[in-house]
Each structure stands twice: as C-alpha cells, then as structure tokens.
Amino acid sequence: MSKADVSTTELDAFYAAVADAELQPLWTQGRSLQPFAPAPSTRVHLWEGAAVRRLAEESGRLIGIDQGGDRRVLSLANPGLGGAPFATSTLWGAVQYLGPHESAPAHRHSQAALRFVLEGSGTWTTVNGDACDMNPGDLVLTPAWTWHDHTNGGDEPMIWFDGLDMPLVNMLDAQFFERFGSTLQEAEGRNLSATAFGAPGDGFADEARPPSDEEEWSPLFVYRWERTDAELSRRLAAAGDGVAELDFVSPRTGRAVLPTLGCHMVRLAPGSSTPTRRKVGSSVYVVWSGEGRSVIGGTELTWRAGDFFCSPSWAYVEHQAASPSDLFELSDRPALEALHLFRQEVTSDRQPVTSRLSS
Ligand code: 1HN
C-alpha cells in the first residue's frame, strides 16, 4: 500500500511517529468513517410494555424521588449503544412513575423534553408557571430551558413516556442544568396555553413546515388526547386506505413542536399498512392502542398497546395493524431538517423479513 521504494522500517517508524503526535491517517480508516449511507449503532429493539410497567411500579415502591436525577425514571437503553441509557443515538426515551401525592421538583435544562401520558389522573406539569393537567394520551411539552415540575395531586400513580433530545444535546456539548429556587413553581394559572392555543384541530398538520428564521417552540404546551383523537378520526374517515397520519405542530407557525424533536401519530384500521419508508434520523414509538406488526430494516416486531420500539436512521419502516391501532412517534427530524441533513424515501416494495422480535 506504500510507494514502491519505501522500506518497511521507514514506514513503521513513520506510523509510530504519527501515533506519538496524536495524529491518524485517513487512508487506514476504512469505509466506516464515511459509509455510502448511514450505518447506525442503534439497533431495532422492542421493550415489552407489561414488563416496563411492572418495573416502573416496583421503582415506585422501592425508590424515592430524592435518590437522584430529580425524577423516578427508567430509560429505554438500546442494546447497540454500549450501555448508554439512550433509546437511539439521538433520543432519550423513558418511563416515569409519580406516586399518589408525590411531586418532582422544578428544574430546567437545555435538553428539550416531552411527555406522552400513559396512565393515571390528577397530575399536572407546571411549565413556566402554567399548570398543565395531564391525562392519558395527552402530549405535554417542556421546551428547552423552561422551568418544569410535576405534581400528582391524586390517589393513583401516574405513568408517562418521557422523550428528550439528550443524546444529541450532550453530543454537541450544549448541556446546561439549573435547579429552581424552591421545590415547586408558583403557578400563574392552570392550562393557560391549552386555553389560548388548543381549539379543536389546532396544532395538527399533515407534515410540519420546515424551519424558517422566526419562532422557537410551540406556545401550546399540552395537546389533549380528545383533540388528537378527534383529528385522527376525521383524517381516517377522509383517508380511504385505513391510514391516518399527523404531525403535531406549533399552532402559531405550523412548524414542529420543538426545534429538535418531532411528534407524529399514525392511526391504522385493522389490516391496513403504512407505506414502506426510510428517513435520516431515528425514532421511538409508543404503542398507544391496538396490536400489529412493524418491519424495520428487515426485523419484524410484533407489538401491542403499551409496548415501545425504535427505528435506526435510514432503516425501512412499515407498520401494519391487526386491530384498530394508534402509534405515537418521537423523532429527531426537526434537528436534521434544521441542519439540512434530512432525506427520506418511499418504496412500494415490501421488505423481506430476516429476523423477529416480539413482546
Ligand atoms: C427530566 O427533566 C425529566 O422533567 C424526565 O420529568 C426525564 C431525563 C433526563 C434528564 C432530565 C422530567 C429526564 C429529565
């Protein structure tokens, strides 16, 4: 591989000197540094909802909120990521458990977060002084650097899915974190953003508008399940092919709800399937209702309500329902769009199934 007249001894000395100088040649790296298409470490994976729920409940019995991290959270840890507590290379996905009459203290961080509520009632998240009630199926946003705390004022435990852009923000070395001066914020009002911005149909679009220079995040902090459900039903009735999809968007700008995180929902009638698509960037899915299967990069996943699964960048993804099904999808798409790195493709081919995972 070296020039014909260079001796092995000379080359060995050269490589040793290069290493000593904390340098590395490009020509010895191989293709992995610059693959022809994304080659993620993130693996296709499914977390069984019943098992996650059981362990979340057990964490409520065994672990206090004051034991670290300000929250009682079990993160989805992708087996391809070397033990990191991340669902994909860019996304944090987790289940949080808040027992009756517990609260999780106020803090803020440069990582943006959202909650998709799984079970319970009587809980609210206060976001910059707006106490947002949380009920199953609601999507609650806590944009980057907003103060947020959670209070369960009821008699039942509350469980929700947490999504954050933490791996991405940490990779960019852009993390800041601050504790509020007291445990909880003084609320300025209740459901203020939902009252101001949450009229029926507001905050949903076929596809979030790509970025422009104005705006930061959605002024609507809570997308109530009743409105999402009504919008999905309306779209399904109009669809004809048994598939209704929507992006959650800022009612002010039509852009994705957060600059780094995209939220999407798919409703499938029994027997119907989404097209087979691939996109740059990863996703975490929450099976909100139903039963079905997805094929992701040739791996077939069989899922039911309560399960979580993920898709790596550039893997083909298709979903098929066995019963009426709703899938909530968290993605890093807005971050990729903002960096002009987003691409997607649709194919009419079905993927060959090469392996299987089930809950
Ligand atoms: C966080 O602030 C919450 O506010 C949940 O509920 C999960 C995971 C990592 C870092 C911050 C919350 C989190 C988190």
Side-chain angles (χ1 to χ4, degrees), residues 223-240:
Y223 291 67
R224 298 251 174 259
W225 172 245
E226 292 72 28
R227 295 193 318 115
T228 308
D229 185 34
E231 181 68 18
L232 287 167
S233 295
R234 193 183 67 72
R235 286 169 179 251
L236 193 65

Side-chain angles (χ1 to χ4, degrees), residues 69 71 73 92 94 96 104 107 109 111 113 115 142 148 150 160 162 164 166 177:
R71 306 290 187 255
V73 167
W92 171 282
Q96 181 162 171
H107 65 207
H109 34 72
Q111 296 93 351
R115 337 277 158 197
T142 54
H148 55 284
H150 313 294
W160 65 79
D162 282 318
L164 286 90
M166 173 174 272
F177 180 95

